[in-house]
Amino acid sequence: MTESTRFRVTFVLGGARSGKSRFAENVALQSGLDRHYLATSQIYDDEMRERVALHREQRGEHWTTHEEPMALVETLAGIQSDDRVILVDCLTLWVTNLMMAERDVSLESARLIDSLAAGAGHFIFVSNEVGLGIVPDNRMARQFRDHAGRLHQMLAAKADDVFFIAAGLPLKMKG
Amino acid sequence: MTESTRFRVTFVLGGARSGKSRFAENVALQSGLDRHYLATSQIYDDEMRERVALHREQRGEHWTTHEEPMALVETLAGIQSDDRVILVDCLTLWVTNLMMAERDVSLESARLIDSLAAGAGHFIFVSNEVGLGIVPDNRMARQFRDHAGRLHQMLAAKADDVFFIAAGLPLKMKG
Amino acid sequence: MTESTRFRVTFVLGGARSGKSRFAENVALQSGLDRHYLATSQIYDDEMRERVALHREQRGEHWTTHEEPMALVETLAGIQSDDRVILVDCLTLWVTNLMMAERDVSLESARLIDSLAAGAGHFIFVSNEVGLGIVPDNRMARQFRDHAGRLHQMLAAKADDVFFIAAGLPLKMKG
């Protein structure tokens, strides 16, 4: 009889270019588990292509990469395992993709949170804090901000560890 | 001769959809005092109507609600009492209302801060941090950001407790 | 033989009107060293002129002021000394100035970081966190955000102390 490893959820929140992906990669490395990277990005243009390539280069070897813009719950269920850490980068892009596809973001967010009850191994979610600037002029940006904020609250409530990253440095908010 | 309860000021600062109102409501609940809610919102459109209705529903029973978009000092003076906690939600809307009415925000902010010297019971102020994004293009948004930031600094200096909320989680900054 | 004072770097990061300059000035005061102020601002219009004048007034006496919008490395090298504290306010304006002049910001940022290896006295860098709002619509603003974020990460990695300021209150992130 083998002892099952306890499932663990880490949530890494931060601003643009805050070093949150780098921090999350170090958390994954320190877990000692088999590293999987789940990219939610959809490449629309050269700027995005450069960002993705840069992230991949910085991440280095020793990662198995998966790409899935929307079916996050199904993909996590398919690849999760007691001996794996899965870094999901990032949730705000996932929310953007769902909105672009006119999916029900509240429903999908609730499904993601519910799915954590049956997780295995270690999940690390990276997301952008986007609610600390001036109220955006356009309604879609406000809806995006609302969706992201609500998802962050739900995820932080479930997560074992929550870090807020600024200038590459972590503030531990939970755990 | 009855012993007077010490007046207390709590300041809850956070981004959009950060869970700051929910956190402030819990602070009010834990005070054990009679709960009053002072809404500064003015309803201009359906989007605002929905947000206000949603907040009211989430807040639940056991609150006496007051609505006042601008005369915050007078309203607080009229309803404050040693056995009451008053949750003011939120200061950024109050600043917006003052600006729309072309009132002197610096003067009104100073009056609010001065009024705290004669407060009773427990005041909880909720406000949006709006200064952590890109500099806004239009001058009015920059002025709003300046007014909000200066008010936050003055209030934080006077408050007994200051919390910064992100993803529903508090960082205690003072107290 | 005199004992050389150890070179020290403090990094003060915060939002607009967060009180970060005031906090940095207090750090300078407490250092007990001869205070020098290095302003990176370029005055384009009356709004900027007012901000600069207000900052200077708040700062008070006992400062030697230097103005340099771009040649930060050379200016620091020229004025640094074991008995001086130099407050650089602020790095985001420096990045803006470099971008306006079509200079290579990545290269200049790397030069600044490298120059810290040969610093003397105490340097205090103030900068705006600008990455916590909605993704800006225009590409230049996104590039600015990227440059600022990368510089902040590099500087935070080298700094002895890093503070994040909100509502005038410091969160110590390092040191």
Side-chain angles (χ1 to χ4, degrees):
Chain A
M1 198 178 89
T2 57
E3 194 183 348
S4 168
T5 312
R6 195 177 71 77
F7 175 57
R8 187 160 197 85
V9 175
T10 299
F11 179 25
V12 180
L13 185 65
R17 294 287 160 200
S18 64
K20 58 192 185 307
S21 295
R22 186 78 63 93
F23 179 83
E25 289 157 21
N26 280 330
V27 173
L29 179 62
Q30 284 160 23
S31 74
L33 300 175
D34 186 24
R35 279 172 280 163
H36 287 248
Y37 186 84
L38 203 171
T40 59
S41 50
Q42 276 184 309
I43 293 169
Y44 296 110
D45 56 22
D46 288 349
E47 188 181 340
M48 179 64 88
R49 199 182 317 278
E50 282 169 31
R51 283 175 190 261
V52 168
L54 184 69
H55 267 215
R56 184 169 302 198
E57 191 189 328
Q58 288 174 340
R59 206 155 58 237
E61 308 281 330
H62 312 301
W63 287 85
T64 304
T65 300
H66 309 262
E67 296 185 354
E68 175 50 51
M70 284 190 274
L72 199 48
V73 174
E74 293 73 14
T75 306
L76 285 168
I79 63 178
Q80 70 185 23
S81 162
D82 280 355
D83 59 354
R84 289 182 177 172
V85 55
I86 305 173
L87 198 173
V88 178
D89 197 349
C90 68
L91 289 180
T92 29
L93 274 177
W94 179 62
V95 168
T96 301
N97 295 337
L98 292 172
M99 286 182 74
M100 293 293 181
E102 300 189 2
R103 300 279 288 274
D104 183 336
V105 183
S106 300
L107 180 70
E108 295 297 327
S109 295
R111 285 184 62 227
L112 175 62
I113 300 303
D114 289 348
S115 78
L116 301 179
H122 187 169
F123 290 0
I124 304 171
F125 293 96
V126 171
S127 200
N128 277 269
E129 173 58 56
V130 294
L132 290 161
I134 287 285
V135 178
D137 286 333
N138 79 80
R139 186 170 178 135
M140 195 156 193
R142 289 197 300 276
Q143 288 175 334
F144 167 69
R145 213 166 69 137
D146 286 355
H147 283 310
R150 277 193 286 254
L151 174 57
H152 294 166
Q153 287 185 52
M154 290 190 293
L155 182 56
K158 292 284 183 194
D160 298 283
D161 308 285
V162 180
F163 297 94
F164 185 89
I165 312 294
L169 301 174
L171 276 172
K172 189 155 202 172
M173 301 199 64
K174 182 180 177 183
Chain B
M1 196 180 92
T2 59
E3 194 184 348
S4 169
T5 312
R6 195 178 72 77
F7 175 57
R8 186 160 198 86
V9 175
T10 299
F11 179 26
V12 179
L13 184 65
R17 295 286 160 199
S18 64
K20 59 192 184 306
S21 295
R22 186 78 62 92
F23 180 83
E25 290 157 22
N26 280 328
V27 172
L29 179 62
Q30 284 159 24
S31 74
L33 300 174
D34 186 24
R35 280 173 278 164
H36 286 248
Y37 185 84
L38 204 171
T40 59
S41 50
Q42 275 184 310
I43 293 170
Y44 296 109
D45 57 19
D46 288 350
E47 188 181 341
M48 180 62 90
R49 199 183 315 279
E50 283 170 30
R51 283 175 190 260
V52 168
L54 184 69
H55 266 214
R56 185 170 300 198
E57 191 189 329
Q58 288 174 341
R59 206 156 59 238
E61 308 281 331
H62 313 300
W63 287 85
T64 304
T65 301
H66 309 263
E67 296 185 354
E68 174 50 52
M70 284 189 275
L72 199 48
V73 174
E74 292 74 13
T75 306
L76 284 168
I79 62 178
Q80 71 185 23
S81 162
D82 280 354
D83 58 355
R84 289 181 177 172
V85 56
I86 305 173
L87 197 173
V88 179
D89 196 350
C90 67
L91 290 179
T92 29
L93 274 177
W94 179 62
V95 169
T96 302
N97 295 338
L98 292 172
M99 286 181 74
M100 293 294 181
E102 302 188 2
R103 300 279 289 276
D104 183 335
V105 183
S106 300
L107 181 69
E108 295 296 328
S109 295
R111 284 185 63 227
L112 176 62
I113 300 302
D114 289 347
S115 78
L116 300 178
H122 187 169
F123 291 178
I124 305 171
F125 293 97
V126 172
S127 201
N128 277 269
E129 173 58 57
V130 294
L132 290 160
I134 287 285
V135 179
D137 286 333
N138 79 80
R139 186 171 177 135
M140 194 159 193
R142 290 197 300 277
Q143 288 175 333
F144 167 69
R145 213 165 70 137
D146 286 355
H147 283 309
R150 279 193 285 253
L151 174 57
H152 294 166
Q153 287 185 53
M154 290 190 293
L155 181 55
K158 292 285 183 192
D160 299 282
D161 308 286
V162 180
F163 297 94
F164 185 88
I165 312 293
L169 302 173
L171 277 171
K172 190 155 201 171
M173 300 198 66
K174 182 180 178 183
Chain C
M1 196 179 90
T2 57
E3 192 183 349
S4 170
T5 312
R6 195 178 71 76
F7 175 56
R8 186 159 198 87
V9 175
T10 299
F11 179 25
V12 180
L13 184 64
R17 295 285 161 202
S18 65
K20 57 192 185 305
S21 294
R22 185 78 63 92
F23 179 83
E25 289 156 21
N26 279 329
V27 172
L29 179 61
Q30 284 159 24
S31 74
L33 300 175
D34 186 24
R35 279 171 279 165
H36 286 248
Y37 185 85
L38 203 171
T40 59
S41 50
Q42 275 184 311
I43 292 170
Y44 296 111
D45 56 19
D46 287 349
E47 189 181 340
M48 179 64 88
R49 199 182 316 277
E50 283 170 30
R51 284 176 190 262
V52 167
L54 184 69
H55 267 216
R56 184 170 301 199
E57 191 189 329
Q58 288 174 342
R59 204 156 61 235
E61 307 282 331
H62 312 301
W63 288 85
T64 303
T65 300
H66 309 262
E67 296 184 355
E68 175 49 53
M70 284 190 275
L72 200 47
V73 174
E74 293 73 13
T75 306
L76 284 169
I79 63 179
Q80 70 185 23
S81 163
D82 280 355
D83 58 354
R84 289 181 178 174
V85 56
I86 305 173
L87 198 173
V88 179
D89 196 350
C90 67
L91 289 179
T92 29
L93 274 177
W94 179 62
V95 169
T96 302
N97 296 337
L98 292 171
M99 286 182 74
M100 294 293 180
E102 301 188 1
R103 299 279 287 276
D104 183 336
V105 183
S106 299
L107 180 70
E108 294 297 329
S109 295
R111 284 184 63 229
L112 176 61
I113 299 302
D114 288 348
S115 77
L116 301 178
H122 187 168
F123 290 0
I124 305 171
F125 293 97
V126 171
S127 201
N128 276 271
E129 173 59 55
V130 294
L132 290 161
I134 287 286
V135 179
D137 285 334
N138 79 80
R139 186 170 178 134
M140 194 156 193
R142 289 196 299 278
Q143 289 175 334
F144 167 69
R145 214 165 69 137
D146 286 355
H147 284 310
R150 278 192 286 254
L151 174 57
H152 294 166
Q153 287 184 53
M154 289 190 294
L155 181 56
K158 293 284 182 193
D160 299 283
D161 308 286
V162 180
F163 297 93
F164 184 89
I165 312 293
L169 302 173
L171 276 171
K172 189 155 201 171
M173 300 199 65
K174 182 180 178 183

